[in-house]
Amino acid sequence: MKLKQGIIVAVANKFADVKVDDKFYQAHVRQKVKINNLLVGDQVGLTIIGENQAVIERIFNRKNQLYRPRIANINQAVIVNALTKPTFNTLILNKLLTLFNFYQIDVVLVFTKTDLITKNDSVWKKVKYYQDLKYPCYFISNPNQAGIKELSLIFKNKFSLLTGVSGVGKSSLLNSLDPNLNLTTNEISLTLKHGKHTTTTTKLYFLLDGIIADSPGFMVLKLQGLTKFDLALNFPVIEKYVNKCKFNDCLHQNEPGCAVIKNLNDQLNKYFYQDYCKILLEFINLH
């Protein structure tokens, strides 16, 4: 009998929730498959055995997979950043960009809270760095819905990972994209200068003719699956100079013939390089 194909939307205990077309099933897993191997986003082949019951027979090959959140087959990563409250953090954004560059996942940048700043605010200088790198950038305000209509178009026919630190407005953004969701949003912690966690597990939302995975907010991002050389090869801005370095294993610190150091005062932005050095040092100390 031909297997039905579905997508894993949740994994818990000895079962997985699977969406097949427009219907959801609670699925047992064949022993040969092993439930610990399943990830949200996996495409699976299954046998329907009842009205809402199924058995997962196989996992199809993945296009990609991430460690945190544990998810597979992402088409694009939508990184949400607040222009203020919390302060725009280039260090965390550059970590994320390095990670998605390594996994070859397309990135879209969303900047929220445009209603809380002016055109003369210094944060726009930092934003321009990313526009110059040709990342698609969208600017929105959830309270007055500015930019939401244009942003909603990017999700069609895509499996998108919505990510970013706590407090940047991911839940508010989802409510703006679909008011029927009515998701809980939390205030900013003024003492800690970052948001209180709202999302606790990765959830999939089937809307705008696509799938949006909302991952938990985080304050510490570890670059799982990468080596220090992967970091040196995939960091934003730096990546376009690495093939010009004298040594293939150059970490762009004090090595002779380093093209990154050579261009530091020319085309390479110092802010990006400072972030790179901080991330590299943190990475080395953790490994």
Side-chain angles (χ1 to χ4, degrees), residues 106-118:
D106 292 338
V107 170
V108 174
L109 301 182
V110 176
F111 296 92
T112 65
K113 306 185 182 183
T114 57
D115 54 303
L116 299 182
I117 65 170
T118 68

Side-chain angles (χ1 to χ4, degrees), residues 198-214:
T198 302
T199 308
T200 56
T201 57
T202 299
K203 298 179 181 179
L204 299 191
Y205 298 95
F206 297 84
L207 53 101
L208 302 172
D209 296 320
I211 306 172
I212 301 175
D214 183 19

Side-chain angles (χ1 to χ4, degrees), residues 130-149:
Y130 298 96
Q131 291 177 306
D132 290 344
L133 288 174
K134 307 303 179 184
Y135 285 108
C137 295
Y138 291 81
F139 303 91
I140 67 167
S141 168
N142 289 305
N144 60 31
Q145 297 291 288
I148 296 298
K149 184 176 180 180

Side-chain angles (χ1 to χ4, degrees), residues 42-54:
D42 269 333
Q43 292 289 333
V44 295
L46 64 167
T47 302
I48 307 300
I49 60 173
E51 181 63 25
N52 298 299
Q53 300 293 314

